[in-house]
Amino acid sequence: MTLTIQHLYYLVGAILAVTAVTTVADRSNPKRFSSGLFWALYSLVFLVGDLLPPIWVGIGAVIMAVIAGFGGVGSGKHAPRTPAEYQTSAKRLGNRLFIPALAIPVITMIGTLSAKHLMVGGVPLIDPKNTTLVSLGVGCVLSLALACWLTRESPVQGLRESRRLTDALGWALVLPQMLGMLGLVFSDAGVGKAVAYITTSYINMDIRFVACAVYVIGMALFTIIMGNGFAAFPVMTGGVGVPILLGVYHGDPAVMAAIGMLSGYCGTLLTPMAANFNIVPAALLELPDKNAVIRAQVPTALALLTCNVFLLYFLMFR
């Protein structure tokens, strides 16, 4: 049997379904029913999303957004171990605690590089179309097994910790996937063409430096709005990059793409919409200020964004 991305979707959906059931059963969660509905709808996307009409999936996404928007995703009370118990476990395991985490990238790399050689009767063990993602999923599963063996815990404890982290992250866990959908919507809606019209109508793009600055800063701004540089890239590249930087000034497309994405990452450092980078770490570290990570990153982001304008100007047109 070939391992495909669909098998990973089933696994993720099953974990989310368990989270939904245990959330509804948790009487310490004041919003257990709305929270349970939120995670149940999310699990359905992974379990049967490919079988449902797109309109149904869209309605489910809207319901999830409404639940999250009205504060319907709550957290129950978990019973973490005491500091003394953590200290005892850390002393017993030592640096071996890092082995499961390091195993994930190692297994992912091995699976990606050796996928074409993993054949049984001419049938590939790993889907050739998604070798990296499938290898990543296999690495996570094997890492969980390794963690259970090292800590002498059961997979059930892993599910408990999964729900605890899910509760800590809340609706922000869903944001990356939602933003990816938003990028597709923007692209199909012709936002890139609208950006091209606005920039050429109201900004003097006859000055090459101005065109470079518009592209770089626009990438950062759209990433701040979307929370995802990959979603912003087709909008700005289709609106400014291709028609102006390449079509008018005949720049180097490789340099434009590289610096454009780096500029998008500058926007990632500045926005709470990039929840997996900025809000999630603050939640996991239990920081009192949920924007503390963003505040620490602002100087670096602005300095790098300024440098990107000049890098694009001097490197793209050599």
Side-chain angles (χ1 to χ4, degrees), residues 159-189:
L159 288 174
R160 295 194 188 101
E161 290 298 313
S162 172
R163 179 177 166 246
R164 182 181 66 82
L165 288 175
T166 300
D167 272 0
L169 301 178
W171 59 264
L173 183 67
V174 185
L175 196 53
Q177 189 175 5
M178 292 289 191
L179 293 173
M181 295 166 58
L182 179 63
L184 293 175
V185 171
F186 272 41
S187 179
D188 290 343

Side-chain angles (χ1 to χ4, degrees), residues 6 9-10 13-14 40-54 56-57:
Q6 192 63 45
Y9 290 161
Y10 292 150
L41 289 172
Y42 196 33
S43 71
L44 289 176
V45 173
F46 290 95
L47 291 174
V48 295
D50 58 328
L51 303 177
L52 296 175
W56 289 17
V57 178

Side-chain angles (χ1 to χ4, degrees), residues 25-89:
D26 183 6
R27 296 182 179 276
S28 66
N29 187 340
K31 301 174 181 177
R32 59 191 180 115
F33 292 111
S34 58
S35 299
L37 176 60
F38 182 89
W39 297 119
L41 289 172
Y42 196 33
S43 71
L44 289 176
V45 173
F46 290 95
L47 291 174
V48 295
D50 58 328
L51 303 177
L52 296 175
I55 186 65
W56 289 17
V57 178
I59 292 173
V62 170
I63 294 174
M64 290 173 64
V66 171
I67 293 174
F70 284 92
V73 182
S75 175
K77 293 182 179 179
H78 301 273
R81 295 179 178 179
T82 64
E85 289 175 328
Y86 280 125
Q87 190 70 21
T88 301
S89 179

Side-chain angles (χ1 to χ4, degrees), residues 97-118:
L97 280 169
F98 295 100
I99 293 177
L102 295 174
I104 296 176
V106 171
I107 295 173
T108 301
M109 182 183 66
I110 293 174
T112 301
L113 296 178
S114 62
K116 62 181 179 180
H117 302 294
L118 299 177

